């Protein structure tokens, strides 16, 4: 069985990170091997949370995995709390990555034109190192601009994009995607959750070609949707599925889950009701 090392936090409430990745990757017939970066009572979007940082334990886990000659087919990283955790993941890549290991990085740093509270220029530099080590990345538009330009310039460019609409906006975002893939030598850059009119689009730039996949916009934004999307891609790509197939599968899966979530009136912090649609990924 194929194996993916999933390096993310574990949040009890608010379906995201490991609680989103493990069921998706597992139902797709791939073993998810979690390396927790932190254990939280609930994800950080809630008014308060308890967090037990696992950074100091990551080395001990890696030592045990080395004893067992662990050799993952894929490595998938998401939310990182600080620069030290980024260094641990770079070390993980040096120790466990093989020639054919597929590395997917979700460079979690911000959304909707704002950087998250964890953001520092130092973390950005570490994230760039991770991105350069990856074949595939799945940033949202804010994160794509942060990777390319840093916080101040991201805010200016994001504001400029908000003044555009329709094809003009998509054209400019397409250029950002191509710039990102070229700048960091990526096999593919997938810009997720791009809102345009009444749709949400995902831009795929792969091997110098690009295409969009759209879904009807339903409800607002929910915790964990990016994690679910990236999890489908990581499992599918490790299994040898094409990027097009992976993205289309992820879009259909998330569209149904979000529609169900809107019907139930679920709070955005609680995440989306994806469990009943896991069978769509078989």
């Amino acid at each position: 069985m194929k194996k993916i090392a999933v390096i993310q936090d574990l949040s009890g409430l608010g379906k995201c990170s490991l609680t989103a990745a493990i069921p998706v990757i597992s139902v797709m017939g791939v073993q998810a091997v979690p390396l927790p970066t932190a254990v939280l009572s609930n994800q950080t979007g809630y008014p308060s949370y308890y967090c037990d940082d696992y950074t100091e334990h990551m080395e001990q886990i890696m030592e045990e995995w080395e004893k067992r000659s662990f050799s993952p087919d894929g490595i998938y990283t998401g939310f990182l709390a600080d620069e030290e955790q980024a260094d641990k993941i770079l070390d993980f890549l040096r120790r466990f990555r093989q020639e054919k290991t597929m590395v997917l990085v979700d460079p979690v740093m911000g959304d909707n034109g704002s950087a998250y509270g964890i953001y520092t220029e130092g973390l950005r530099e570490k994230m760039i190192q991770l991105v350069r080590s990856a074949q595939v990345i799945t940033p949202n538009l804010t994160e794509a601009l942060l990777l390319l330009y840093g916080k101040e310039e991201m805010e200016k460019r994001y504001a400029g994009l908000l003044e555009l609409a329709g094809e003009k906006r998509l054209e400019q975002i397409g250029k950002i995607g191509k710039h990102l893939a070229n700048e960091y030598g990526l096999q593919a850059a997938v810009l997720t959750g791009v809102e345009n009119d009444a749709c949400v689009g995902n831009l795929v730039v792969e091997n110098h070609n690009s295409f969009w996949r759209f879904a009807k916009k339903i409800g607002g934004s929910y915790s964990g949707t990016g994690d679910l999307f990236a999890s489908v891609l990581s499992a599918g790509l490790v299994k040898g599925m094409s990027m097009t197939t992976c993205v289309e599968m992820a879009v259909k899966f998330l569209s149904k889950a979000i529609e169900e979530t809107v019907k139930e009136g679920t709070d955005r912090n609680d995440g989306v009701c994806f469990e009943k649609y896991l069978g769509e990924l078989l």
Side-chain angles (χ1 to χ4, degrees), residues 251-277:
V251 169
K252 290 177 182 177
F253 170 63
L254 277 170
S255 294
K256 290 184 178 183
I258 292 171
E259 185 174 2
E260 182 75 15
T261 305
V262 172
K263 286 180 183 177
E264 291 200 10
T266 303
D267 185 87
R268 72 163 308 278
N269 284 320
D270 293 338
V272 296
C273 305
F274 67 85
E275 290 85 350
K276 69 185 289 185
Y277 298 106

Side-chain angles (χ1 to χ4, degrees), residues 1-3 22-32 235 238-239 281-282:
M1 178 177 281
K2 301 282 189 181
K3 299 179 179 68
I22 292 172
V24 166
I25 291 170
S26 299
V27 81
M28 291 181 68
V30 178
Q31 181 181 346
V238 160
K239 290 173 65 177
L281 302 173
L282 293 171

Side-chain angles (χ1 to χ4, degrees), residues 18 45 48-49 76 91 121 154 163 202 205 213 217 242:
L18 285 177
S48 65
Y49 60 90
Y76 162 33
D91 184 39
E121 285 301 314
M154 174 277 289
E163 296 176 1
N202 299 280
V205 180
R213 286 294 180 269
K217 188 178 186 305
S242 72

Side-chain angles (χ1 to χ4, degrees), residues 2 50 55 60 63 66 88 101-102 129 141 159 166 208 226 258 263 267 274:
K2 301 282 189 181
Y50 167 75
T55 308
Q60 296 164 302
E63 287 177 359
E66 278 189 317
K88 290 291 185 186
T101 307
M102 191 283 300
Q129 290 183 48
L141 180 57
H208 308 293
I258 292 171
K263 286 180 183 177
D267 185 87
F274 67 85

Side-chain angles (χ1 to χ4, degrees), residues 8 36 50 54 77 87 93 96 101 106 111 133 165 187 216 224 226 251 270-271:
Q8 297 195 34
Y50 167 75
Y54 252 52
T77 75
D87 280 329
L93 291 174
F96 294 97
T101 307
D106 187 5
D111 199 6
S133 301
Q187 175 184 319
K216 183 180 177 182
V251 169
D270 293 338

Side-chain angles (χ1 to χ4, degrees), residues 35-110:
L35 175 54
T37 57
V39 176
L40 292 89
S41 58
N42 44 269
Q43 57 94 354
T44 59
Y46 290 91
S48 65
Y49 60 90
Y50 167 75
C51 177
D52 183 14
D53 191 309
Y54 252 52
T55 308
E56 65 181 61
H57 303 301
M58 293 171 70
E59 174 64 30
Q60 296 164 302
I61 294 170
M62 287 191 281
E63 287 177 359
E64 293 299 321
W65 286 5
E66 278 189 317
K67 292 178 186 177
R68 287 150 185 81
S69 301
F70 176 57
S71 179
D73 302 283
I75 299 170
Y76 162 33
T77 75
F79 175 81
L80 305 178
D82 53 34
E83 297 170 43
E84 186 179 358
Q85 286 190 352
D87 280 329
K88 290 291 185 186
I89 295 175
L90 288 165
D91 184 39
F92 185 93
L93 291 174
R94 286 189 288 269
R95 293 161 72 169
F96 294 97
R97 182 181 191 176
Q98 304 297 319
E99 184 179 349
K100 294 185 179 180
T101 307
M102 191 283 300
V103 179
L104 186 150
V105 171
D106 187 5
V108 180
M109 293 186 288

